[in-house]
Every structure is written in structure tokens, then in C-alpha cells.
Amino acid sequence: MEAKNSGPVMSGIIPPPGWFVDPGALRKAYRSGDPFRTLAAAFGGSVNDISYTITDQSDSGDHLERSRSIRRRSLATTGVLAGHEDMVERLFEADISREDIPKVLSALGIDVDVDIAVELLHIPGVPGGQLEEPLPPRRVGDKLSLLYITGKYHGIEPDYELALGKISVTAVTKLRELLHPNIPYRRLAEILAVIETTALAIRARTITTLAYADYDETVQTLSRHRVTTTNDPADPWPVPASTLRRRFAYGFWEEALRTVGLHLATGEDRFSELDYFEALDRFTEECIEFGYAMDIEIYDRWVIAETAIRHECPSAVELIRRYGSWAAALESVLPPECQEETRPDDGEPEYVDYDSGWGTLEELEEWEENLDNDWRAAGKLIGQLIEAMPADSFLHIRYAAPEGRQPAPYARATTGTDGVYCEIVSDAGLTPHQWRLSTHRLSDDGWSAPNENNANWHKAGVPRTEAAAQILNEIRFGRVPVEASELTWSVGQVPDGSGPTSGVTLDAALRGVVQSVRNAS
């Protein structure tokens, strides 16, 4: 059967001359979940050769089937390794290599998936798997959230009579527990009717699927519009997408859909755009920490290990398809390499590469000095505004967004009686590879990560005299390079996520346009 292609397939890897492989056999082995290293050994090529061929010959269905196979095999294998942990450790202490330990176990009559076990035994720490704790019962509220969001996304018209006759007392009771007591009865009735009408549409096969990204976007839209009011802010409803996948789907979006009678339409429906970026970000961070090569073979091993702890990630081939090549995928999370300084032999001035182009060292030093002066000036002006702002007002800082890079990031400071509440927008809602964010720098600087109550990075109780410096420091060094002259700030307006349409720039402020909080509003 001829493979179908979806999306860009330029892997950037050229197979060696004379290397041929049966595409059908390779696709079958890929779908079975065999590690890339196993595929390379079986088909006589390198891992790069294999990835090139699979990228060109596979389709979305192949990636989905591989994901299912890896899920089944890795979960089973980590349980076997954990069940024989003492023996695995004794073999390791006896200097048996990680590659050979599974073979020894198999020779001793232990039913173990040798290929997957080899990959799992290369994860950091003492060799051995982990016994999976019993999975907690699925929550009724999570199921109701999935049905409700499915209905809202597909535009279901609520059938109130149907809901009155079909909805269970358990569902009504659970929603009353989750939602605020003051929610209007009509609103509660509408939610219940959407849930029951959606369930009927699923049974009738009128609705058959819901992508993870569509669920996530619909929840965020309803949250922004305050469509529901949650009784417990720590347990919001509708349930955030990441929480639903972890808690209700046990790590795999397909499991959530199956629970309510839906199915995945394509393999891509398992992830949002942010999932691709975060998988690469976590992978590269672990490679840096443990000194691993950032190549396709190691990433494939990492995916198998992540799946074993119920954390589904895109395959290497899926990343190549999305970004165009493996190198481009890595570049989306890693800063571009700086070109080395060069000194011509003809006595000409030394030229270096920096953000604004080529120039002499003297020009570079002058440019850097001007850049520092701009940031100091911006810090002074914004600091003066924050110190002069009344309580419960906002200062909103937004980036200039070149064409093709919308929406742009923003930051804000909210004054209160206990200091300033500072926020740096996260990658949610942005295009991560265009607005790279150093989450590790933010964490090291004492910022709190986004959570279910605040989608932004945040820091509370910052003294007014320090707030401007703390925010601008993260804007300057925590994200892709930006100059102070590219920022616009406004005071006294509650941002809606994209920021006010008016504002003050550094150039305007330095010309004396802004002298007070009133003028900056």
C-alpha cells in the first residue's frame, strides 16, 4: 500500500548510496513500536537513514499506531523490570551492561520485551522499572467537563426536555459541588442540557471526535468570558486540558475520548502546539543535565521512557514533519549559535557578528553601551510610574510584534497593599518557537510557574522600588532578544491579554511626552 504524506517531509537527511529498504516492512516495524535503534539494526541503515525513510513514507495513522504500541509495550516492560528489581540491580552491580541485562532476564525465563527494556534501562538512575500505583477512579466532574466542552466546540443546541428526563442525579449533584452556589439556575440548566444533548449526539455518531487542542482552546475561551464560576478556584471547572489529560485520561488523550465514546480522527489530535515545544524543551534540558547527545536516537529513547510514566510525547518523525527537519526542531528551543569572532589577516579592523549585523569591535561596544543606556532609562521611567500608581491599578508592558509573529508577549504589574504583583506572560496562546522563554531562568529568579489559577509566570509582594527592575530583567534576558525601544507601556488599564491599544514608548518618554501616571494612561 502506498503511504500518504501529510505536512512537510523534508527531513534534511540523505540516505547513503546503495541503501535500499522495503518501505512496507519498515512502516510495519515502525508501527509496532520498535525503537529506532532496533529498526536501524534490522534494516541495515543508520538511525538517520531510518528517520528519513519513515518521514517520507509514513502518515498520521502510522504515528498514532506507533504511539499505541509504545504505550502498551513500555507500560508492560517497566512493570516487569520493577517486579525483578533486585535481580536487575545484581546484574548491574556484576558489570553486566545495560544492553545485556534484558537478554539475561529473558534467558532466565522472564517474559520481558528486550528491545524496550534496553531503552528503559538507559534512563538516569539505578537500572530497574517502577511499579505503577493503582490508577485513581475517574472523576464524574471530569467526564462532565469533557462532554460539555465537546458540545460547546461542536455547537450543540441544548435539549432541555431531554436533559430533564435523562440527566442523572449524580451529575446534578456533582455540578452543584463544583460550581459556585450563586450560579443562576438557568445557567446550570443550560450546562446540564448541553452535556446530555452531547452524550446523545455521541451515541448517534453525530459527534465522533475532539482534538486536544480544540478542547484546550474552548476551555480558555470560556474561562476568559467567565462562562462558569467555580466553587473552588484550586479545582476549576470546566477542567483545564492538561489536568484532564493527566487525571482523567491517565496521560493519554485517546483514553479520555474512548471513555465517552469518541475517537481520535488523526494522530495530530493528541497534542497542542505547546506540547511539541514543551517536549523538545524538556528533552534538551535533560540532555544538557546528563550530557546526552541531542539526536534522534536519544530522543526516541526518551519518548519511550516518558511513555512508561504515562506522559505521551510526539515521536521524532512527528517533530521532523512539524518543524521541517530535526535541526529546525532543536533550533525552536535552543538559542542560535553565535558565530565565532574572526580577525582578517589583512590588517583590517576585527569584525564580529552581533544582533544588528556586522561591525567593528568599537561599533559593537558603542551599540552595547547604547542598549544598556536604553534599558536603564526604561527602568527608571517605568519605576517612577509604578511608585506613583495608586493601589489596584495596572502597568501593562507589551512587545512590538513584527508581521507574522502575532500575538506578542506582554508583562504587567498590579499594585496592592502588599506590594506589586508582577506577571510575565507564558507561552500559552503564543507561538513558542517564535517567542522562546527561558523557564529555568524565571524559576531561578524566584518566579512562580503558571498554574490553574494564573496562566502567567508571576511573583507576588515585590516592593514598588524593585518591581520595574524585576520585570524588565526577565523581559530582556528571559525571552528572545528584545530592545527597550521595542516596548510600549500603559497605566490604569486592565489588560485583556493582548494589552491596551495605546501606550508610551521609550523614545516618547525620553522626549518628555510622559511625565506622570495620568499622561501614561
Side-chain angles (χ1 to χ4, degrees):
M1 180 177 66
E2 185 176 352
K4 298 178 181 179
N5 286 327
S6 60
V9 296
M10 297 302 295
S11 61
I13 303 169
I14 306 300
W19 184 75
F20 299 100
V21 64
D22 179 357
L26 180 57
R27 286 182 69 195
K28 182 178 179 180
Y30 175 74
R31 289 165 64 93
S32 74
D34 284 347
F36 269 33
R37 188 172 62 159
T38 301
L39 296 178
F43 289 91
S46 68
V47 168
N48 283 357
D49 299 334
I50 294 298
S51 67
Y52 171 87
T53 304
I54 293 174
T55 300
D56 286 345
Q57 297 292 333
S58 61
D59 59 23
S60 176
D62 295 325
H63 308 317
L64 177 57
E65 191 57 40
R66 177 176 177 81
S67 172
R68 292 167 177 163
S69 298
I70 289 178
R71 182 195 322 171
R72 181 181 64 256
R73 294 174 65 178
S74 64
L75 289 173
T77 304
T78 195
V80 171
L81 293 176
H84 297 85
E85 183 178 6
D86 291 342
M87 183 178 296
V88 171
E89 290 186 356
R90 288 199 302 270
L91 292 172
F92 182 70
E93 291 171 357
D95 291 331
I96 305 297
S97 71
R98 296 172 188 263
E99 285 80 6
D100 290 335
I101 287 176
K103 299 175 185 177
V104 174
L105 295 177
S106 180
L108 293 174
I110 297 172
D111 186 12
V112 61
D113 188 327
V114 173
D115 291 330
I116 296 296
V118 168
E119 303 303 312
L120 292 178
L121 289 178
H122 278 84
I123 62 177
V126 178
Q130 59 182 42
L131 287 173
E132 187 175 45
E133 297 181 359
L135 297 174
R138 288 188 168 98
R139 301 186 183 187
V140 174
D142 291 351
K143 181 178 180 180
L144 297 176
S145 177
L146 178 54
L147 288 170
Y148 177 66
I149 295 301
T150 300
K152 296 299 288 186
Y153 174 77
H154 286 283
I156 284 291
E157 289 294 330
D159 186 331
Y160 292 92
E161 291 185 1
L162 173 70
L164 184 62
K166 295 283 293 184
I167 197 72
S168 68
V169 175
T170 302
V172 176
T173 303
K174 177 53 65 175
L175 275 179
R176 285 188 176 276
E177 292 176 2
L178 292 170
L179 301 179
H180 196 277
N182 293 333
I183 187 172
Y185 290 128
R186 289 181 180 274
R187 184 77 192 95
L188 179 60
E190 187 268 342
I191 293 173
L192 291 168
V194 168
I195 290 172
E196 194 56 48
T197 310
T198 301
L200 176 63
I202 292 174
R203 290 193 295 271
R205 311 310 297 164
T206 304
I207 296 176
T208 59
T209 189
L210 180 69
Y212 175 81
D214 293 332
Y215 178 94
D216 186 29
E217 183 178 351
T218 305
V219 169
Q220 292 189 42
T221 299
L222 294 178
S223 298
R224 286 195 298 269
H225 295 163
R226 297 184 179 274
V227 172
T228 61
T229 304
T230 305
N231 190 31
D232 181 5
D235 188 19
W237 196 96
V239 181
S242 59
T243 302
L244 190 77
R245 180 168 57 187
R246 169 180 52 80
R247 192 170 67 192
F248 185 70
Y250 302 141
F252 306 99
W253 184 244
E254 186 175 26
E255 292 301 310
L257 298 185
R258 284 177 176 173
T259 302
V260 297
L262 298 171
H263 68 269
L264 284 171
T266 69
E268 289 89 345
D269 288 349
R270 290 140 50 221
F271 306 113
S272 67
E273 180 68 31
L274 185 60
D275 288 325
Y276 292 90
F277 180 82
E278 287 187 340
L280 284 164
D281 187 48
R282 291 189 297 108
F283 167 69
T284 53
E285 288 296 334
E286 288 193 23
C287 286
I288 293 171
E289 180 179 358
F290 295 104
Y292 295 153
M294 297 181 192
D295 58 26
I296 295 173
E297 178 180 333
I298 300 301
Y299 179 80
D300 184 60
R301 174 180 298 160
W302 182 82
V303 168
I304 293 172
E306 287 289 296
T307 305
I309 57 174
R310 293 188 171 274
H311 191 173
E312 186 174 21
C313 299
S315 71
V317 173
E318 287 176 294
L319 291 176
I320 291 172
R321 281 183 170 274
R322 175 160 292 267
Y323 291 97
S325 70
W326 180 248
L330 293 179
E331 288 172 2
S332 71
V333 294
L334 296 174
E337 295 182 358
C338 298
Q339 297 187 26
E340 295 183 358
E341 297 183 2
T342 59
R343 182 184 296 276
D345 297 329
D346 55 6
E348 292 296 320
E350 180 178 0
Y351 284 81
V352 295
D353 184 22
Y354 59 96
D355 288 348
S356 294
W358 284 86
T360 65
L361 278 175
E362 290 76 13
E363 291 171 336
L364 172 60
E365 291 170 355
E366 180 182 359
W367 175 79
E368 290 179 335
E369 182 179 357
N370 291 335
L371 192 65
D372 290 338
N373 289 338
D374 285 348
W375 281 105
R376 280 193 292 269
K380 181 178 179 180
L381 290 163
I382 293 175
Q384 290 172 347
L385 290 174
I386 292 178
E387 291 187 45
M389 285 163 52
D392 299 323
S393 56
F394 294 85
L395 182 139
H396 188 83
I397 306 172
R398 67 181 185 274
Y399 294 47
E403 185 176 355
R405 295 182 67 183
Q406 294 279 4
Y410 65 88
R412 62 188 171 196
T414 305
T415 54
T417 56
D418 297 327
V420 181
Y421 188 79
C422 301
E423 296 177 83
I424 300 289
V425 68
S426 68
D427 286 330
L430 302 177
T431 307
H433 66 276
Q434 292 182 339
W435 297 106
R436 291 190 297 270
L437 179 67
S438 175
T439 57
H440 298 282
R441 180 185 179 90
L442 285 163
S443 295
D444 292 343
D445 289 347
W447 290 71
S448 298
N451 54 43
E452 295 176 351
N453 299 319
N454 190 337
N456 295 332
W457 284 83
H458 52 279
K459 181 183 285 191
V462 179
R464 285 184 181 239
T465 55
E466 300 177 10
Q470 297 228 21
I471 290 177
L472 292 179
N473 185 61
E474 304 309 332
I475 290 177
R476 183 178 183 183
F477 299 109
R479 212 161 214 131
V480 292
V482 62
E483 297 183 18
S485 59
E486 299 178 68
L487 303 178
T488 302
W489 56 88
S490 300
V491 175
Q493 300 182 39
V494 179
D496 60 4
S498 60
T501 56
S502 60
V504 176
T505 63
L506 177 62
D507 289 341
L510 293 177
R511 293 198 308 269
V513 173
V514 179
Q515 300 294 333
S516 66
V517 171
R518 180 181 299 276
N519 289 340
S521 300

